[in-house]
């Protein structure tokens, strides 16, 4: 399974995006600000807890997180970052480089309260089924053109 996270708006303090599964819009996302500078090492542009991960293709697994509990969706091998999760929340204030998901947005880059947990629960079910079937799950993060 490949998830596509298409970043659609780079805002001064956050990044708005959408996740697609099999070409269909699944949910909306909010991340920290994209600071990525192409062909520059992450250490030159990353601000800890305030920067979105670089665009790229990442394997997604489930693991236990002390903060988010069992079956936490986790991205592997993100250059310059650790413990990158897909989890619930409402704004860039709820993420430290992670991806926040929700079914509805109140404004660009803000998840409607109450829509995050259902989106996350549904995404976890889809990922878990794929992993249990012995298939890998990937997420392709794409910056706007």
């Amino acid at each position: 399974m490949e998830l596509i996270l298409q970043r659609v708006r780079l805002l001064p303090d956050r990044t708005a995006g959408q996740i697609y599964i099999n070409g269909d819009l699944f949910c909306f996302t909010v991340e920290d600000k994209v600071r990525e500078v192409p062909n520059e090492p992450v250490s030159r542009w990353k601000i800890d807890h305030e920067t979105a991960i670089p665009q790229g293709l990442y394997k997604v697994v489930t693991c236990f997180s002390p903060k988010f509990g069992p079956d936490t969706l986790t991205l592997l091998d993100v250059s310059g970052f650790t413990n990158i999760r897909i989890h619930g929340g409402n704004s860039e204030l709820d993420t430290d480089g992670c991806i926040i998901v929700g079914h509805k947005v109140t404004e660009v880059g803000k998840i409607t309260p109450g829509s995050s947990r259902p989106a996350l629960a549904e995404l976890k079910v889809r990922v878990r089924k794929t992993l249990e079937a012995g298939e890998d799950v990937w997420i392709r993060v794409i910056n706007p053109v």
Side-chain angles (χ1 to χ4, degrees):
M1 168 192 278
E2 183 175 281
L3 310 172
I4 303 290
L5 191 169
Q6 177 64 61
R7 292 172 170 158
V8 295
R9 299 259 329 259
L10 304 180
L11 301 160
D13 57 352
R14 62 189 179 274
T15 303
Q18 300 168 337
I19 289 182
Y20 293 84
I21 300 176
N22 299 324
D24 295 323
L25 177 63
F26 172 75
C27 69
F28 299 95
T29 64
V30 63
E31 300 173 83
D32 282 322
K33 180 178 179 173
V34 171
R35 301 174 193 278
E36 183 175 359
V37 178
N39 303 314
E40 290 287 332
V42 173
S43 61
R44 290 209 176 156
W45 48 263
K46 179 183 176 189
I47 298 173
D48 285 343
H49 312 291
E50 296 180 18
T51 303
I53 64 171
Q55 66 180 345
L57 182 65
Y58 305 103
K59 190 170 188 178
V60 178
V61 298
T62 59
C63 65
F64 177 81
S65 160
K67 185 173 183 178
F68 300 110
D71 291 332
T72 298
L73 301 176
T74 303
L75 282 64
L76 300 181
D77 302 320
V78 180
S79 180
F81 291 78
T82 58
N83 299 318
I84 296 300
R85 319 289 191 184
I86 300 173
H87 62 82
N90 299 110
S91 76
E92 75 282 356
L93 301 176
D94 299 321
T95 179
D96 289 331
C98 296
I99 301 164
I100 304 293
V101 295
H103 281 309
K104 297 179 183 176
V105 288
T106 57
E107 58 181 272
V108 176
K110 302 275 185 172
I111 301 296
T112 302
S115 80
S116 188
R117 285 186 181 174
L120 180 61
E122 187 178 339
L123 184 58
K124 281 184 174 184
V125 166
R126 290 183 182 209
V127 168
R128 207 176 297 120
K129 282 182 182 179
T130 300
L131 294 173
E132 287 171 357
E135 298 175 34
D136 289 335
V137 176
W138 299 86
I139 187 165
R140 183 176 304 277
V141 179
I142 304 169
N143 286 341
V145 178

